[in-house]
Amino acid sequence: MCGIFGYIGQREAYPILVKGLYRLEYRGYDSAGVALLNGSLNLYKTQGKVSDLNKLVQGNDISGTIGIAHTRWATHGEPNYKNAHPHYSPSQKMAIIHNGIIENYGPLKVELSNRGYLFRSDTDTEVLIHLIEDIRLNEGATLEEAVRMALNQVVGAYAIVVISKEDPDQLIVAKKGSPLVIGIGKDEYFIASDASPIVEYTKDVVYLEDEEMAIVPRKGPIDLKTIRNQQKTPYIHHLEIQLSSIEKGGFPHFMLKEIYEQPRSIKDSMRGRLNLKQGIISLGGIIDYEQKMVNCKRMIIVACGTSWHAGLVGEYLFEDLARIPVEVEYASEFRYRNPVINEDDVVIAISQSGETADTLAAVELAKSKGATIIGICNVVGSSIARETHAGSYTHAGPEIGVASTKAFTAQVTILTLMALSIAQKRGSIPRSRFHQMLAEVEAIPEKVMQTLKVNDQIVEISKKFQNVRNFLYLGRGYNFPVALEGALKLKEISYIHAEGYPAAEMKHGPIALIDEEMPVVVIATKKGSYEKVVSNIQEVKARKGIIIAIVTKGDQIVRDMADHVIEIPETDEALVPLLATIPLQLLSYHIAVLRGCNVDQPRNLAKSVTVE
């Protein structure tokens, strides 16, 4: 994986392709490459950034109106020139770009090697293009036929684009388990791993389904069929994404822009769903399955990374408000441990991209056991949106920064609305609290806006801690997942080791780490187990630890104890995560900037993890 872009049309392809790669940089990558067809099939690639590729091609032939481009995040083979995409076929008459993993590449490679084929890379991708050419030569197949026959021999996940010197007026694309979208312009087509590099050229797109392939011509309609040669009719979606939403808009980094977009993204996630005047919550996407949620014996939330932390907040919400037992599972573990799943279980799958491979596999497993699957994702038409029985989009808008910020608060917003709606229908929440919480939920966007005013204060705090090597984050109840998320954000973008713990667990081990060099971030809002958290702060101070406290506005008790205090507005205990996470995002951002880290593209990370 990571970023795919292809073009065929009447314009010069290279400027369009390289701009597409820049748009896809947010996905995370370690090398970049491009192949262009202009009579010759010219291939250029390099380890490093798209800017390095752009320098590499200077003075070379980059003409041509058809081409493919790729940014790679290493899976098979270390990040270097030979493993970068695109990959030539043995004759160098074809080239391929690929996201995903071909699981049976090993035996295929042995078979092809025994027949005299030589491999220049360590990748599974090169095996696939060798196989395609082998079939074409030995079977007398057309390019389309050879690709189709090869894909029927491989096991695993793929999104591919194949270009051929002998077929200069078409690209062949195919997809299974890894996203691929075709943008339809006027006498031109754009192929990409997501819509972000397409939106400035066209809003009309076709999302490929698993085991579908398309012959994309220079002119005329695309020919869509399955890899078993069954004809399909393309369904054209109209993108709602605006170009401005994938640009920085004056901010130095996408991450900071997206932190500041949260008042709007939270509000957009509520729009049309919360009606304070009528005192109702209406989640149209799950309406046909809402009664199953009301009657279920158990909920299981599956997710990865930041989405898993949102799921932990969801566990507190559903158990506290709706009185439904909840288990929160790492999707990557859930799918491999033979979990007990019943037909009256509801499984909620959370993913920003809607393409997370482990979460999709968990959905598939739970679905096979007869459970009802509800999705929460941010990308319209994504795999999770299609594979689940029902669900809700977060409406956070495109999130370009690799470290998730606005997606997290949007996910928590949707989980809050779901929990409140189910609680009301189950009769498990007093009417007075339900209406009080509706008012508090509606007020959250304005309170997030107030919270963002602590930015300048956090800049000053960050200067004091930019060179530390470790952080602890502590929280209790609803704030325990916030502590985990705060620690993850710091690790992701500043490369400082950080751990989140339930505050009471500190004395069961982590307290041994505390000394005068250990900063401890404590979410100590005046709700829930406030007095217990105050005691935990005293335990840290007794060992000379440095306290950075997130407190409710006006709190004096913690202010007198802490070294640094960051205030947030008062709200209902269940809604504190939506506010308390904001200063932690800002803290990680400013520390990373001060350390000179690449905030939007942290090392080794990918935005959408579409491989296991």
Side-chain angles (χ1 to χ4, degrees):
M1 65 183 203
C2 215
I4 281 176
F5 198 55
Y7 174 79
I8 183 168
Q10 310 307 312
R11 293 190 264 180
E12 284 296 306
Y14 181 76
I16 295 169
L17 292 171
V18 77
K19 192 172 188 180
L21 291 187
Y22 278 121
R23 294 280 190 211
L24 290 166
E25 281 193 302
Y26 78 96
R27 295 171 70 93
Y29 68 105
D30 47 57
S31 57
V34 62
L36 298 153
L37 186 57
N38 60 359
S40 299
L41 182 55
N42 297 316
L43 190 153
Y44 309 101
K45 58 185 182 178
T46 183
Q47 182 180 352
K49 296 296 184 182
V50 176
S51 57
D52 298 315
L53 175 66
N54 217 9
K55 292 173 187 173
L56 175 71
V57 303
Q58 298 307 309
N60 289 292
D61 184 1
I62 53 172
S63 62
T65 56
I66 174 174
I68 58 176
H70 191 268
T71 53
R72 176 180 186 254
W73 186 86
T75 52
H76 287 81
E78 64 183 61
N80 56 27
Y81 166 80
K82 71 176 183 179
N83 291 327
H85 294 217
H87 287 285
Y88 271 133
S89 66
S91 68
Q92 299 192 0
K93 292 180 180 179
M94 291 189 291
I96 190 173
I97 51 178
H98 166 225
N99 282 352
I101 292 178
I102 305 302
E103 295 175 8
N104 64 335
Y105 85 100
L108 290 172
K109 188 172 185 177
V110 170
E111 182 181 340
L112 290 165
S113 296
N114 290 339
R115 282 154 57 185
Y117 286 96
L118 300 175
F119 293 87
R120 301 178 180 90
S121 79
D122 304 315
T123 68
D124 53 333
T125 303
E126 191 186 10
V127 174
L128 180 54
I129 193 63
H130 278 54
L131 179 61
I132 291 168
E133 183 160 282
D134 178 72
I135 291 170
R136 192 167 191 185
L137 291 173
N138 290 309
E139 302 289 337
T142 65
L143 178 61
E144 171 200 340
E145 290 168 343
V147 172
R148 184 171 66 248
M149 292 167 71
L151 293 179
N152 277 290
Q153 294 185 41
V154 302
V155 176
Y158 54 80
I160 62 168
V161 187
V162 178
I163 189 170
S164 170
K165 182 179 176 180
E166 296 177 340
D167 303 86
D169 294 315
Q170 66 178 24
L171 293 170
I172 306 293
V173 305
K175 176 250 192 221
K176 180 183 179 183
S178 207
L180 204 61
V181 57
I182 302 171
I184 304 170
K186 182 174 174 55
D187 293 328
E188 60 183 354
Y189 290 96
F190 309 84
I191 298 118
S193 43
D194 67 55
S196 59
I198 291 177
V199 67
E200 66 182 286
Y201 304 107
T202 179
K203 295 292 186 72
D204 294 326
V205 301
V206 172
Y207 291 98
L208 262 64
E209 300 284 349
D210 277 355
E211 297 192 336
E212 284 185 347
M213 61 181 289
I215 299 89
V216 183
R218 191 177 295 279
K219 288 186 178 180
I222 62 173
D223 183 11
L224 184 66
K225 55 186 68 177
T226 71
I227 63 171
R228 291 170 183 81
N229 207 27
Q230 298 167 315
Q231 203 68 39
K232 301 290 288 290
T233 300
Y235 177 78
I236 298 175
H237 297 257
H238 187 75
L239 295 174
E240 300 298 331
I241 304 172
Q242 300 302 315
L243 183 59
S244 60
S245 68
I246 58 171
E247 295 180 334
K248 290 179 183 174
F251 285 88
H253 297 96
F254 281 109
M255 183 180 178
L256 188 61
K257 178 193 177 207
E258 288 155 9
I259 290 171
Y260 271 84
E261 285 178 339
Q262 287 174 108
R264 187 181 72 198
S265 59
I266 292 171
K267 192 169 187 177
D268 286 347
S269 296
M270 297 178 197
R271 184 172 287 120
R273 294 164 169 167
L274 189 157
N275 188 317
L276 183 60
K277 191 172 182 180
Q278 295 181 19
I280 58 171
I281 293 172
S282 178
L283 296 165
I286 64 169
I287 194 165
D288 292 338
Y289 289 85
E290 201 166 32
Q291 200 56 44
K292 285 200 171 188
M293 297 177 75
V294 170
N295 295 333
C296 74
K297 299 287 194 305
R298 176 181 65 154
M299 284 185 177
I300 303 169
I301 299 176
V302 292
C304 300
T306 286
S307 296
W308 187 78
H309 295 156
L312 285 178
V313 178
E315 177 181 21
Y316 284 91
L317 288 163
F318 279 106
E319 292 194 344
D320 179 19
L321 303 175
R323 308 305 297 151
I324 298 172
V326 179
E327 297 175 15
V328 184
E329 300 272 3
Y330 284 112
S332 55
E333 289 297 312
F334 177 78
R335 58 176 298 204
Y336 286 117
R337 65 169 179 76
N338 194 21
V340 178
I341 306 168
N342 301 307
E343 290 186 1
D344 55 2
D345 289 337
V346 168
V347 175
I348 299 177
I350 310 174
S351 166
Q352 187 281 138
S353 66
E355 302 291 350
T356 309
D358 286 319
T359 307
L360 275 166
V363 164
E364 187 177 319
L365 173 63
K367 209 171 174 182
S368 71
K369 303 287 188 181
T372 298
I373 318 296
I374 304 297
I376 297 176
C377 63
N378 191 38
V379 181
V380 175
S382 60
S383 296
I384 283 178
R386 297 195 303 270
E387 293 300 321
T388 50
H389 292 112
S392 294
Y393 288 115
T394 54
H395 300 307
E399 188 177 63
I400 306 300
V402 167
S404 184
T405 53
K406 65 177 181 175
F408 173 77
T409 51
Q411 289 165 353
V412 172
T413 300
I414 295 298
L415 288 163
T416 302
L417 295 177
M418 280 186 180
L420 281 168
S421 180
I422 301 305
Q424 183 195 33
K425 290 173 174 60
R426 285 172 63 90
S428 58
I429 184 172
R431 184 177 177 84
S432 59
R433 190 181 180 205
F434 176 76
H435 288 284
Q436 181 185 19
M437 283 200 68
L438 289 193
E440 280 296 321
V441 171
E442 188 173 71
I444 285 293
E446 175 58 35
K447 291 184 177 183
V448 170
M449 200 171 294
Q450 293 173 33
T451 303
L452 287 166
K453 292 177 181 178
V454 302
N455 181 66
D456 291 347
Q457 179 191 359
I458 291 176
V459 171
E460 296 306 312
I461 294 172
S462 299
K463 291 175 182 176
K464 300 179 187 300
F465 298 103
Q466 68 184 83
N467 294 317
V468 302
R469 299 182 63 184
N470 299 284
F471 262 83
L472 281 179
Y473 286 71
L474 304 177
R476 296 185 81 136
Y478 280 97
N479 289 327
F480 165 49
V482 176
L484 292 175
E485 175 61 12
L488 177 62
K489 286 284 97 59
L490 192 69
K491 282 184 282 195
E492 283 181 310
I493 62 169
S494 75
Y495 318 139
I496 294 172
H497 174 253
E499 295 295 337
Y501 284 94
E505 287 298 305
M506 179 186 60
K507 52 185 170 289
H508 295 283
I511 199 166
L513 298 171
I514 294 173
D515 59 21
E516 62 274 8
E517 295 183 359
M518 174 66 79
V520 182
V521 179
V522 185
I523 301 104
T525 52
K526 272 194 171 178
K527 299 289 178 179
S529 307
Y530 176 72
E531 291 79 9
K532 299 293 185 184
V533 174
V534 169
S535 296
N536 296 140
I537 291 173
Q538 289 171 330
E539 291 166 354
V540 174
K541 291 306 295 180
R543 290 155 181 84
K544 300 183 179 179
I546 306 163
I547 295 290
I548 304 169
I550 311 296
V551 304
T552 305
K553 190 172 183 179
D555 184 307
Q556 194 59 43
I557 295 172
V558 175
R559 179 175 291 278
D560 291 341
M561 300 166 59
D563 299 274
H564 305 279
V565 170
I566 301 165
E567 293 187 335
I568 63 173
E570 186 169 0
T571 190
D572 188 281
E573 179 187 3
L575 305 180
V576 168
L578 290 166
L579 301 182
T581 195
I582 306 298
L584 302 187
Q585 293 170 351
L586 289 168
L587 182 68
S588 62
Y589 170 79
H590 288 297
I591 288 177
V593 169
L594 289 166
R595 288 168 64 86
C597 300
N598 189 337
V599 172
D600 287 333
Q601 298 165 39
R603 68 190 183 203
N604 302 332
L605 294 180
K607 181 65 177 174
S608 179
V609 183
T610 57
V611 296
E612 297 174 17

